[in-house]
Amino acid sequence: MAASTPHAGPTSEETDPPESVRTEPNKDPGTSESESERLEDDAEEEEEPPGPKIRETPQDIQLEAIANTVALHPSRDILVCGDVDGDVYAFSYCCTEGENRELWSSGHHLKSCRQVRISADGLKLYSVSRDKAVHLLDMERGQLVSRIRGAHGAPINSLLLVDENMLATGDDGGTLKVWDMRKGTAIMEMKNHEDYISDITVDQNKRILLTASGDGTMGVFNLKRRRFELLSEYQSGDLTSVAVMKRGKKVVCGSSEGTVYIFNWNGFGATSDRFALKAESVDCIAPITENIMCTASMDGYIRAINLLPNRVIGCIGQHVGEPVEEIAKSWDTRFLVSCAHDQLIKFWDISGLPKLSVDEYRKRKKKGGRMKSLTKKALGDNDFFSGLVEETEKKEEEEQEEGDDSDSDSGSD
């Protein structure tokens, strides 16, 4: 039997591993240095995930069919639209990437939904359709609360909520009806227009109802006395929209010819002024302030207009080559929302619009010059020149003109 060898302490050769297998703390001996660095980088990425992208405006909403109408909630970031298939959709919108959400949809109309409007308290939604019906829906869930079948003898084209209990509707035959929704009956019915009623508005005191019609006239109706007052003189082309401006002192009507007609309050018989835009039409008007309004056209452009002095301030945005059906501003006047034939709902930043002031003079414009871009995506998301427009205009020669409150028959881009 071999003698036992006395125990000896470890030598340096035995304790130090060769360089090829020497490891650093917390590292797998079988892992290379490059792999270790990659794992460390991956760990750092996992610890700090990228936050959600915040946009200046919400993303476009893609629809399944063309939307005829859009309305915005009076106190929340919610919109409702109605399309040519008769469906009504509610969406919440947000500037966070990917956070727009469909809340509900309703398919109760049998034909194209022409107009939707949300009540002032945000609890009710009214819609009218080519099927001649008026629907009342619960805004929170989209459930049908009540309907008036056969409300008109012709397809209904326009809708206005006068107050919490009263609404007005106009149809393709020129008939105006005012409804008491507590009873579900019409308290006023007038047929003074020869063609469709395109739009309806009311003064701040809820006394005078104004209608725009395809026969080229504006109608005036007394709500308190429940009677017809008068029609304006005939204008060139269809009157497509109507709005009250200048703290109730002026009324403006858009037209299919691209002209804005201006009436004095209590001077409804004849226009006091007119403003011809270089646009195919002025199909809808959305007042932003007492002096500034946005208009939309068949050419796809959305313009900001100053009233008296009459100026095109610039371009808010566009649906390229597609007619715009309706525009509406958000409850906080931060966004303008538009729907068009491209089946998109788009959002435009108009937060700076109320701060703009328009001088009495004009800048000399280059022949064929484009409109000033008022938003970063006004002339297209990838428009290289959009950021240069303002700088270019500053370099243009300015010409002082005699400023007055009337730019009769004036034209602009």
Side-chain angles (χ1 to χ4, degrees):
M1 187 167 138
S4 63
T5 309
H7 181 73
T11 65
S12 60
E13 290 180 357
E14 292 173 331
T15 56
D16 292 338
E19 262 186 52
S20 59
V21 296
R22 189 173 296 166
T23 61
E24 294 180 15
N26 301 326
K27 284 194 177 179
D28 185 353
T31 305
S32 68
E33 186 175 348
S34 60
E35 288 176 330
S36 299
E37 291 175 354
R38 179 175 57 79
L39 290 172
E40 285 178 0
D41 292 340
D42 290 345
E44 287 178 4
E45 288 178 5
E46 289 176 3
E47 290 173 5
E48 298 180 6
K53 182 179 177 182
I54 305 299
R55 302 164 50 94
E56 289 192 355
T57 59
Q59 287 179 280
D60 297 349
I61 297 175
Q62 178 71 58
L63 303 174
E64 296 179 4
I66 295 171
N68 291 319
T69 177
V70 63
L72 277 79
H73 195 282
S75 59
R76 296 167 62 188
D77 292 341
I78 293 175
L79 66 83
V80 177
C81 64
D83 67 23
V84 294
D85 292 335
D87 297 322
V88 177
Y89 295 89
F91 294 91
S92 63
Y93 58 88
C94 178
C95 287
T96 305
E97 187 91 33
E99 287 300 310
N100 291 344
R101 293 285 183 267
E102 181 181 321
L103 302 178
W104 52 259
S105 63
S106 167
H108 294 292
H109 281 299
L110 303 176
K111 296 182 180 179
S112 175
C113 179
R114 298 276 187 83
Q115 203 107 68
V116 292
R117 292 293 180 263
I118 303 172
S119 62
D121 59 12
L123 300 177
K124 302 173 185 175
L125 174 73
Y126 293 91
S127 63
V128 295
S129 167
R130 191 168 176 268
D131 64 12
K132 308 175 187 177
V134 177
H135 286 183
L136 167 60
L137 287 81
D138 171 66
M139 184 60 204
E140 195 65 30
R141 299 180 181 179
Q143 294 178 338
L144 182 66
V145 177
S146 65
R147 64 156 62 97
I148 304 173
R149 290 188 177 93
H152 281 251
I156 305 173
N157 192 61
S158 51
L159 168 67
L160 171 74
L161 304 188
V162 178
D163 59 30
E164 63 272 17
N165 298 315
M166 190 183 302
L167 62 87
T169 52
D171 68 25
D172 285 357
T175 297
L176 170 73
K177 288 189 178 185
V178 178
W179 302 84
D180 183 343
M181 293 308 293
R182 292 168 296 188
K183 302 175 181 177
T185 57
I187 59 174
M188 209 173 131
E189 182 174 352
M190 306 277 179
K191 189 183 185 315
N192 301 96
H193 288 294
E194 299 170 1
D195 208 336
Y196 69 97
I197 295 176
S198 57
D199 197 13
I200 312 172
T201 193
V202 69
D203 70 321
Q204 191 173 3
N205 297 323
K206 317 291 186 185
R207 296 177 62 90
I208 301 296
L209 204 65
L210 302 170
T211 56
S213 173
D215 63 12
T217 66
M218 180 179 70
V220 184
F221 302 84
N222 191 312
L223 275 177
K224 296 297 180 183
R225 298 181 180 179
R226 300 184 185 179
R227 73 183 188 189
F228 164 72
E229 295 286 346
L230 74 148
L231 290 179
S232 73
E233 63 185 5
Y234 287 90
Q235 310 301 331
S236 176
D238 302 7
L239 293 190
T240 55
S241 48
V242 59
V244 180
M245 300 285 291
K246 291 283 187 179
R247 296 177 178 83
K249 295 178 181 178
K250 299 287 183 179
V251 176
V252 293
C253 289
S255 76
S256 60
E257 303 296 314
T259 299
V260 175
Y261 294 98
I262 305 170
F263 297 84
N264 290 325
W265 192 261
N266 289 331
F268 301 124
T271 58
S272 64
D273 201 359
R274 64 186 65 191
F275 183 29
L277 309 182
K278 288 181 181 176
E280 289 185 30
S281 59
V282 179
D283 290 330
C284 42
I285 293 174
I288 306 301
T289 68
E290 294 298 333
N291 304 317
I292 296 173
M293 60 186 179
C294 289
T295 66
S297 169
M298 285 185 65
D299 58 20
Y301 282 96
I302 301 168
R303 297 166 170 85
I305 310 293
N306 189 84
L307 186 65
L308 301 175
N310 300 334
R311 301 284 188 270
V312 173
I313 302 172
C315 178
I316 294 294
Q318 64 171 320
H319 293 255
V320 181
E322 300 289 349
V324 179
E325 285 291 340
E326 192 162 27
I327 53 176
K329 69 175 180 177
S330 62
W331 63 274
D332 53 2
T333 318
R334 184 181 176 190
F335 303 120
L336 188 78
V337 179
S338 59
C339 61
H341 286 203
D342 54 9
Q343 299 182 23
L344 291 176
I345 294 178
K346 292 185 174 236
F347 298 82
W348 313 98
D349 182 5
I350 59 167
S351 56
L353 207 52
K355 303 170 189 174
L356 291 179
S357 60
V358 176
D359 295 326
E360 295 290 336
Y361 69 87
R362 291 186 191 171
K363 293 179 180 179
R364 182 191 296 274
K365 296 188 69 177
K366 291 181 179 179
K367 189 173 182 180
R370 64 200 295 167
M371 284 185 290
K372 179 180 178 180
S373 299
L374 299 179
T375 63
K376 287 187 177 179
K377 58 179 187 176
L379 298 173
D381 290 326
N382 298 318
D383 180 24
F384 173 77
F385 296 100
S386 61
L388 306 178
V389 174
E390 187 172 352
E391 183 180 346
T392 303
E393 287 192 348
K394 286 179 181 177
K395 294 179 182 178
E396 291 179 2
E397 184 181 356
E398 295 183 0
E399 181 179 76
Q400 185 79 22
E401 286 186 349
E402 207 170 321
D404 55 30
D405 274 354
S406 175
D407 282 4
S408 213
D409 291 316
S410 55
S412 186
D413 284 336

Short mmCIF file of all heavy atoms in Angstrom, two decimals, residues 60 126 155 182 205 314:
data_model
loop_
_atom_site.label_atom_id
_atom_site.label_comp_id
_atom_site.label_asym_id
_atom_site.label_seq_id
_atom_site.Cartn_x
_atom_site.Cartn_y
_atom_site.Cartn_z
N ASP A 60 -55.49 60.06 -37.77
CA ASP A 60 -56.69 59.97 -38.59
C ASP A 60 -57.48 58.71 -38.21
O ASP A 60 -56.89 57.69 -37.84
CB ASP A 60 -56.33 59.90 -40.07
CG ASP A 60 -55.62 61.14 -40.57
OD1 ASP A 60 -55.59 62.15 -39.83
OD2 ASP A 60 -55.08 61.11 -41.70
N TYR A 126 -78.79 63.05 -31.35
CA TYR A 126 -79.87 63.05 -32.34
C TYR A 126 -79.27 62.82 -33.73
O TYR A 126 -78.18 63.32 -34.05
CB TYR A 126 -80.62 64.37 -32.33
CG TYR A 126 -81.39 64.63 -31.06
CD1 TYR A 126 -80.81 65.32 -29.99
CD2 TYR A 126 -82.70 64.19 -30.91
CE1 TYR A 126 -81.51 65.56 -28.82
CE2 TYR A 126 -83.41 64.42 -29.74
CZ TYR A 126 -82.81 65.10 -28.70
OH TYR A 126 -83.52 65.33 -27.53
N PRO A 155 -86.73 63.01 -47.77
CA PRO A 155 -85.52 62.72 -46.98
C PRO A 155 -85.05 63.94 -46.20
O PRO A 155 -85.05 65.07 -46.72
CB PRO A 155 -84.50 62.31 -48.04
CG PRO A 155 -85.32 61.74 -49.15
CD PRO A 155 -86.57 62.57 -49.18
N ARG A 182 -90.25 66.47 -26.04
CA ARG A 182 -90.95 65.93 -24.87
C ARG A 182 -92.23 65.23 -25.30
O ARG A 182 -92.67 64.25 -24.68
CB ARG A 182 -91.26 67.05 -23.88
CG ARG A 182 -90.02 67.64 -23.20
CD ARG A 182 -90.34 68.91 -22.45
NE ARG A 182 -90.79 69.97 -23.34
CZ ARG A 182 -90.99 71.23 -22.96
NH1 ARG A 182 -90.80 71.58 -21.70
NH2 ARG A 182 -91.39 72.14 -23.83
N ASN A 205 -80.40 84.22 -28.58
CA ASN A 205 -81.61 84.30 -27.76
C ASN A 205 -82.65 83.24 -28.12
O ASN A 205 -83.73 83.21 -27.51
CB ASN A 205 -82.24 85.70 -27.90
CG ASN A 205 -81.33 86.79 -27.37
OD1 ASN A 205 -80.63 86.59 -26.37
ND2 ASN A 205 -81.31 87.94 -28.04
N GLY A 314 -55.37 81.66 -44.23
CA GLY A 314 -54.49 80.60 -44.69
C GLY A 314 -55.19 79.26 -44.73
O GLY A 314 -56.41 79.16 -44.59
#
